[in-house]
Amino acid sequence: MRLVQFQASAAGPRIGLEEKDGGNVIDLNAFDPSLPKTMREFLERGDAALAIAKRAQESGQHILPRSQVTLLAPITKPEKLICVGLNYADHCQEQNVDIPKDPIIFSKFPSCIIGPCDEIIYPPESSEVDWEVELAFVIGKKGKHIQESAAMDHVVGFTVAHDVTARDWQLKNGAQWLLAKTFDTFCPLGPAIVTKDAVSDPHKLGICCKVNGELVQNSNTSQLIFKTPALVAWLSRFITLSPGDVILTGTPPGVGFSRKPPVFLKKGDVVHCEIDELGAIRNKVV
Ligand code: MG
């Protein structure tokens, strides 16, 4: 299933199912008015809510034409928005750093999440805004001290994320990692949370980023150093993972600041981040 949050006509945000990537949307709140209208609350209801969604998918009812629907980020206000750094071997190479022995964890504030077609605001505080396409997974079941062998029981699905980064703040200006990563609008997400049963193998997916149509990142999630089960096990040693938590798994090579000479985004650019089977997000910089 492709779980989405959407807006249709005058109705406020609702949750739904995309029939296929870019397809019509089944209105889950119309199918079952007892369902919550936010993805986080929906996921907090666990397997029971997913079973209702499955029935809605099979019902063939409450289908809205795509032209009437605006997709929002598939989840907004998760409890946690966690990032992994240096998680592709060749991205470590391009940055001239050793491959980490343990996952490197940092975060963004959930307030920087925007939808799959929303605009990225170029902040006046930065002149080096850079792109980073990333595979993100979403937690579906609460857990602490989760073993790798049980990790996937706690993951509901996957989505495409853009870890927009102000390099001047990340690497200069006092190495302000959190601020560099969490300016408003710095986490485009979507278009859907694709449930794990609908993904052939999340660690064998083509992943790419294009800026104004030019391919700038092109890799495969098979290149991830720490894959989803290892990240769930590592993170849950320290923190309780909760339904709706979003974890960005790191970016492949090809980011702007590693180019010679470095290249950064500018107002008017359009960034297209895409992962096989999950879909694409396309965000204009303004
Ligand atoms: Mg990143």
Side-chain angles (χ1 to χ4, degrees):
M1 293 187 287
R2 300 179 60 86
L3 297 163
V4 296
Q5 291 191 130
F6 70 95
Q7 187 118 24
S9 62
R14 298 166 83 86
I15 56 169
L17 290 176
E18 224 185 7
E19 289 193 308
K20 59 179 183 182
D21 187 14
N24 295 333
V25 170
I26 300 165
D27 184 339
L28 287 176
N29 295 123
F31 179 79
D32 185 339
S34 77
L35 284 175
K37 290 181 178 169
T38 70
M39 189 62 69
R40 177 169 162 184
E41 292 171 292
F42 173 83
L43 294 176
E44 284 168 349
R45 294 200 187 180
D47 289 342
L50 289 168
I52 293 171
K54 194 84 189 161
R55 287 205 297 279
Q57 188 176 41
E58 290 159 2
S59 76
Q61 298 174 330
H62 304 291
I63 299 171
L64 297 168
R66 184 51 178 264
S67 58
Q68 291 179 15
V69 170
T70 301
L71 288 192
L72 308 172
I75 183 157
T76 34
K77 299 182 184 163
E79 184 181 280
K80 297 184 280 299
L81 180 55
I82 301 170
C83 305
V84 182
L86 300 171
N87 201 20
Y88 282 78
D90 34 11
H91 179 56
C92 294
Q93 264 171 8
E94 80 173 348
Q95 297 207 41
N96 250 333
V97 294
D98 294 336
I99 290 176
K101 292 185 176 63
D102 294 314
I104 295 172
I105 305 301
F106 59 98
S107 73
K108 293 163 101 80
F109 291 129
S111 54
C112 70
I113 292 173
I114 59 170
C117 300
D118 290 344
E119 291 173 339
I120 298 166
I121 297 170
Y122 203 116
E125 291 79 11
S126 176
S127 56
E128 296 186 354
V129 176
D130 203 350
W131 56 82
E132 294 191 358
V133 62
E134 309 206 0
L135 172 71
F137 64 86
V138 181
I139 297 298
K141 184 178 156 193
K142 187 173 180 174
K144 182 88 189 280
H145 296 300
I146 301 163
Q147 300 297 308
E148 265 195 58
S149 57
M152 291 310 293
D153 294 344
H154 293 262
V155 173
V156 66
F158 297 87
T159 192
V160 182
H162 182 182
D163 179 16
V164 184
T165 303
R167 293 292 176 211
D168 35 8
W169 286 93
Q170 182 192 17
L171 303 172
K172 308 169 199 168
N173 301 358
Q176 297 271 10
W177 271 68
L178 175 62
L179 293 180
K181 296 282 186 176
T182 205
F183 281 88
D184 290 347
T185 73
F186 269 23
C187 190
L189 209 59
I193 297 169
V194 183
T195 53
K196 61 191 173 191
D197 58 298
V199 181
S200 57
D201 181 343
H203 305 108
K204 277 187 188 164
L205 300 174
I207 177 169
C208 75
C209 175
K210 294 175 189 170
V211 178
N212 303 327
E214 183 197 341
L215 190 63
V216 289
Q217 292 184 280
N218 189 20
S219 186
N220 193 286
T221 57
S222 61
Q223 300 301 309
L224 281 164
I225 299 165
F226 301 103
K227 297 184 168 58
T228 304
L231 293 172
V232 168
W234 173 256
L235 285 165
S236 70
R237 283 174 63 183
F238 307 93
I239 48 181
T240 299
L241 295 175
S242 300
D245 286 351
V246 179
I247 294 92
L248 277 58
T249 60
T251 200
V255 294
F257 88 100
S258 296
R259 292 167 178 260
K260 293 183 179 55
V263 179
F264 297 106
L265 293 171
K266 55 189 185 310
K267 289 182 182 181
D269 286 347
V270 175
V271 188
H272 173 108
C273 296
E274 182 168 358
I275 300 178
D276 291 348
E277 301 182 31
L278 304 184
I281 56 179
R282 196 167 180 277
N283 304 87
K284 186 174 181 182
V285 181
V286 299

